[in-house]
Short mmCIF file of all heavy atoms in Angstrom, two decimals:
data_model
loop_
_atom_site.label_atom_id
_atom_site.label_comp_id
_atom_site.label_asym_id
_atom_site.label_seq_id
_atom_site.Cartn_x
_atom_site.Cartn_y
_atom_site.Cartn_z
N GLU A 24 -19.23 -4.85 -11.05
CA GLU A 24 -20.29 -4.65 -10.00
C GLU A 24 -19.56 -4.52 -8.60
O GLU A 24 -18.54 -5.15 -8.36
CB GLU A 24 -21.19 -5.88 -9.97
CG GLU A 24 -22.19 -5.89 -11.04
CD GLU A 24 -23.31 -6.84 -10.81
OE1 GLU A 24 -23.37 -7.55 -9.78
OE2 GLU A 24 -24.20 -6.95 -11.67
N ARG A 67 -14.02 7.69 -26.54
CA ARG A 67 -13.20 8.25 -27.66
C ARG A 67 -12.45 9.50 -27.19
O ARG A 67 -13.11 10.34 -26.60
CB ARG A 67 -14.09 8.62 -28.85
CG ARG A 67 -14.72 7.38 -29.52
CD ARG A 67 -15.28 7.70 -30.88
NE ARG A 67 -15.83 6.48 -31.43
CZ ARG A 67 -17.11 6.17 -31.44
NH1 ARG A 67 -17.99 7.00 -30.80
NH2 ARG A 67 -17.52 5.07 -31.94
N LEU A 97 -21.48 12.78 -14.12
CA LEU A 97 -21.64 11.41 -13.70
C LEU A 97 -21.32 11.34 -12.18
O LEU A 97 -20.56 12.18 -11.68
CB LEU A 97 -20.66 10.49 -14.45
CG LEU A 97 -20.80 10.37 -15.92
CD1 LEU A 97 -19.72 9.54 -16.49
CD2 LEU A 97 -22.17 9.80 -16.31
#
Side-chain angles (χ1 to χ4, degrees):
E24 284 194 1
R67 293 195 179 96
L97 298 175

